[in-house]
DNA sequence: TTATCTAGCGTTTTT
DNA sequence: CGCTAGATAA
């Protein structure tokens, strides 16, 4: 800890950042530990800050702001809503505002509360404030995520909600295991009522700031009418375990502020200036918390963009931002609308799409740029073709194409709606050897091996951590299965002790059979030993020559325990427990990676004084930045892309049902659709220079081929800003045209082995009678100005051209027999491809199939 | 108790 | 189709 904290204090964070992710990741934590107490915060404030002097000096940082930004920065007092469109310099305005607060002497660092949603954003702000203020600025103790700030506050006031200040923060996994136990205890069929669901319900309630006694009657039917009772039981269990989940961190703080006026008052006076990033993503609990804190001085500046609200499904309330002026009468609203990121075509396309949403606060992005390519749109035959084309495009752009200068792979990104769409691209890129990186996979601290290791550490710190014990009793395999665990649990409960003590009693009373008993005894002994080391007192020396290969000493045999620091202890625990060996013996391909992760975990420990310190803070830093080196194309979800930008962006899979997602629309109707549309807006606005939207006419969904309609968002793209890469034909020249383009058909690809570009312009396939028939059929139904609205009727019309029992032909699936008609889909039993539901327009009567050029 | 099989299911995700 | 969780078999 000394290392990083010290350097951080000396303002060397920037250097640290460059050293790689673990330092970077923990620098934030260490700084918060450092600033944990009020005294520390005061101390930091008392340091004579150079910014005091700066108030007399000119403020050069203001000069680089545009008028709107400047207004947002200089309006220091009273409520301010900064509506910041994509790429309008939001972070710049926010950080400059903080710098301005400090530089003018309006606030001292500890008087500013600045909250973000992600650690990444918090880190970014810290470093930018640092560079604005010069190296002189001390850490801002209250700049952090909602959760880290609240956790810090909660540790000070834990007793007010019946917790001790060293409470554990459970993650989703622990949560669900707990739920499962409770559900079983309540005698509910976990089959019909899965723990995940309960966890989801309770999370939602917490997001809405509903404590168990606050859940409205309307929700009492939830989870087989047992939801509220289980919520109550869950909270009780958490309290017994001295634990909180993520939702609690906020909810407890709201409760404390609501019930303890003195505490609230203290912080209202303490945090004289409040800044909130991504305000459109706040949920009710966060909103209440902010409102409580700001209600006295009302110096709150919320930054957000209602058009980028894409987290409604996890409790975010766009209403919070829409209501800001009502909540804070007299609020100063500043719109940042000058975009510094994208070309005019890209902005126009994005604006065109988002314009279809109702109830927006309304912003119009503009740019002083005049150059730039139109948004490109291309349809493909199927998903495979789409990924192949994207791969080729990327390679072409890498070389430099269409008069554009070569682009590095780091400048390109593929943004998909759902993570399963990534696979097609990964497969393709793997086979052509195109380097890529997937952003947003499983987080470091969510990986199984890390969580297992952490469970061991937790037990070494406290034997009372039953959840940790449950997790590792049989990991690695010790022959302690369900039955053994039940015996331990029963013994523990009967004697009213923790599971570890229960296990000890089981060993002493020999309540278990041979192998299990032996292993359990070893485990309990190990736990005792590790804890005694943690606590510092010397332990018996057993053997002198047990120095392991890697030079580390094994505690079971080694020198005096007090000699170990926590890093060595951690290694010792992992080795002695057999956990390291477990993965060393594992022959699966991911085993080496897991060992690597364990090493990294141990390395991360070096930044802390002890295991406790590590555990206390690590649960909030679920960071993922492995910052891989090297030129790679990024693949990620649209959600993960928020806040990022790339010169070239690919947006594949724009098909109705996929994007907008059918499920969103089914579950949330128009609201869901609008959120999807905002997602589209976010996607397009990620692009700086070139944005390529694509879709496929056919896609394999869960192993079944499905014909797809181009996304309705495609129709919303303003035509004059879009360049259609495939020849118009179907759907009367509307965008949907490209969807049926035979140019991309694999069948045709075989005939003409040419590059895609050439194929797109090779006319021969369009000349055949079969193609023309297909085309004219599609055209009939596509000529309307609003093709989407009519497509259903039209497809039904097309359906009526067939009779059950007909022999039919499909380009991909071949010949088959029409078994039935369901809505606008034909149910066809294909000779080779099995039974499928296919939209009628892809089907031709079998006797006409010969005309189709294949 | 563990290994193997099968049925069921299948967004988005931070902390 | 491919994964996961749960049930069944060894």
């Amino acid at each position: 800890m000394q290392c990083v904290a010290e350097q951080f204090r000396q303002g060397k964070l920037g250097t640290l950042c460059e050293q790689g992710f673990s330092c970077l990741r923990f620098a934030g934590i260490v700084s918060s530990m450092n600033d944990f107490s009020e005294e520390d915060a005061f101390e930091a404030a008392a340091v004579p800050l150079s910014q005091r002097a700066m108030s007399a000096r000119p403020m050069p940082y203001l000069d680089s702001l545009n008028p709107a930004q400047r207004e947002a920065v200089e309006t220091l007092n009273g409520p301010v809503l900064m509506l910041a469109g994509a790429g309008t310099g939001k972070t710049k305005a926010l950080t400059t505002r903080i710098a301005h607060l400090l530089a003018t002497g309006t606030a001292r660092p500890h008087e500013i509360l600045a909250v973000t949603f992600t650690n990444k954003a918090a880190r970014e702000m810290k470093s930018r404030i640092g560079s604005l203020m010069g190296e002189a600025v001390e850490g801002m103790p209250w700049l952090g995520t909602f959760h880290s700030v609240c956790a810090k506050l909660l540790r000070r006031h834990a007793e007010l909600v019946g917790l001790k200040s060293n409470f554990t923060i459970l993650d989703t996994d622990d949560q669900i295991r707990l739920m499962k136990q409770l559900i079983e205890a309540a005698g509910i069929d976990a089959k019909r009522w899965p723990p995940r669901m309960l966890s989801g319900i309770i999370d939602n309630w917490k997001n809405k700031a509903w404590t168990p006694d606050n859940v409205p009657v309307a929700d009492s039917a939830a989870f087989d009418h047992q939801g509220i009772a289980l919520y109550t039981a869950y909270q009780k269990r958490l309290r017994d375990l001295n634990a909180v989940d993520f939702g609690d961190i906020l909810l407890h703080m709201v409760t404390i502020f609501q019930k303890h006026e003195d505490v609230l008052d203290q912080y209202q006076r303490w945090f004289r200036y409040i800044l909130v990033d991504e305000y459109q993503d706040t949920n009710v609990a966060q909103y209440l918390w902010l409102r409580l804190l700001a209600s006295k001085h009302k110096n709150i500046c919320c930054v957000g963009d209602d058009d980028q609200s894409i987290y409604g499904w996890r409790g975010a309330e766009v209403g919070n931002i829409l209501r800001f002026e009502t909540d804070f009468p007299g609020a100063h609203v500043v719109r940042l609308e000058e975009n510094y990121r994208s070309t005019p075509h890209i902005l126009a396309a994005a604006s065109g799409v988002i314009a279809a949403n109702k109830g927006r606060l309304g912003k119009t992005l503009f740019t002083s740029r005049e150059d730039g390519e139109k948004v490109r749109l291309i349809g493909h035959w199927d998903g495979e073709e789409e990924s192949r084309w994207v791969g080729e495009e990327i390679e072409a752009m890498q070389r430099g194409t269409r008069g554009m200068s070569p682009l590095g792979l780091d400048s390109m990104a593929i943004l998909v709606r759902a993570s399963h769409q990534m696979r097609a691209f990964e497969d393709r890129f793997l086979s052509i050897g195109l380097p890529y990186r997937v952003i947003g996979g499983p987080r470091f601290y969510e990986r199984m091996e890390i969580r297992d290791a952490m469970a061991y550490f937790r037990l070494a710190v406290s034997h009372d951590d039953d959840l940790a014990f449950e997790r590792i009793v049989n990991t690695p395999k010790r022959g302690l299965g369900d039955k053994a665990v039940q015996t331990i649990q029963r013994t523990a409960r009967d004697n009213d002790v923790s599971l570890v003590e229960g296990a000890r009693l089981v060993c002493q009373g020999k309540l278990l059979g041979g192998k299990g008993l032996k292993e359990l005894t070893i485990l309990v002994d190990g736990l005792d030993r590790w804890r005694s080391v943690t606590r510092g007192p010397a332990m018996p020396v057993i053997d002198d020559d047990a120095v392991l290969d890697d030079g580390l000493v094994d505690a079971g045999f080694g020198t005096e325990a007090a000699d170990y620091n926590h890093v060595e202890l951690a290694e010792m625990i992992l080795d002695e427990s057999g956990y390291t060996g477990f993965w060393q013996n594992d022959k699966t391909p991911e085993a080496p990676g897991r060992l690597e992760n364990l090493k990294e975990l141990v390395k991360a420990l070096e930044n802390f004084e002890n295991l406790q310190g590590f555990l206390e803070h690590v649960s909030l830093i679920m960071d993922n930045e492995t910052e891989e080196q090297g030129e790679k194309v990024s693949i990620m979800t649209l959600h993960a892309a928020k806040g990022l930008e790339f010169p070239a962006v690919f947006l594949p899979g724009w098909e109705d049902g996929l994007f907008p997602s059918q499920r969103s629309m089914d579950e949330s109707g128009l609201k869901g659709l609008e959120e999807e549309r905002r997602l589209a807006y976010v996607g397009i606005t990620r692009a700086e220079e070139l944005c390529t939207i694509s879709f496929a006419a056919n896609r394999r969904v869960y192993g079944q081929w499905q014909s797809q309609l181009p996304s309705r968002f495609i129709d919303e793209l303003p035509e004059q800003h879009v360049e259609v890469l495939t020849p118009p034909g179907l759907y009367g020249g509307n965008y949907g045209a490209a969807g049926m383009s035979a140019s991309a058909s694999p069948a045709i690809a075989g005939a003409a082995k040419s590059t895609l570009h050439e194929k797109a312009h090779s006319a021969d396939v369009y000349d055949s009678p079969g193609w023309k028939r297909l085309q004219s059929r599609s055209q009939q139904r596509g000529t309307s100005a609003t093709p989407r609205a009519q497509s259903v009727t039209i497809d039904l019309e097309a359906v009526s051209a067939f009779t059950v029992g007909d022999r039919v032909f499909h380009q991909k699936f071949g010949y088959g027999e029409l078994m039935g008609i369901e809505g606008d889909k034909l149910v066809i039993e294909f000779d080779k491809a099995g039974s499928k539901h296919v939209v009628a327009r892809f089907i031709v009567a079998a006797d006409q199939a010969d005309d189709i050029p294949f």
Side-chain angles (χ1 to χ4, degrees), chain A residues 792-831:
Chain A
V792 174
T793 356
I794 289 157
D795 281 341
L796 286 175
E797 217 173 276
V799 163
S800 64
F802 298 95
T803 328
V804 174
D806 281 359
R807 278 299 281 175
V808 294
F809 179 81
H810 181 279
Q811 290 182 69
K812 185 119 202 159
F813 310 132
Y815 291 92
E817 187 182 335
L818 182 60
M819 306 306 284
I821 298 172
E822 283 180 21
D824 63 333
K825 299 269 175 71
L826 301 175
V827 185
I828 297 163
E829 185 67 43
F830 288 104
D831 300 349

Side-chain angles (χ1 to χ4, degrees), chain A residues 22-63:
Chain A
S22 47
C23 274
L24 177 60
R25 191 194 308 135
F26 294 106
I29 314 171
V30 173
S31 83
S32 17
M33 289 176 64
N34 200 28
D35 302 317
F36 180 75
S37 69
E38 275 170 47
E39 293 70 34
D40 282 352
F42 265 128
E43 211 176 300
V47 172
L49 293 170
S50 55
Q51 56 263 34
R52 289 292 160 78
M54 283 175 72
S55 56
R57 280 193 262 140
M59 299 163 205
Y61 54 86
L62 291 177
D63 297 338

Side-chain angles (χ1 to χ4, degrees), chain A residues 22 42 96 145 194 223 259 292 318 396 398 499 596 679 767 830:
Chain A
S22 47
F42 265 128
T96 309
T145 63
F223 210 78
K259 293 202 175 148
L292 284 164
V318 213
Q398 226 182 336
L499 288 183
E596 199 51 44
L679 215 36
D767 290 329
F830 288 104

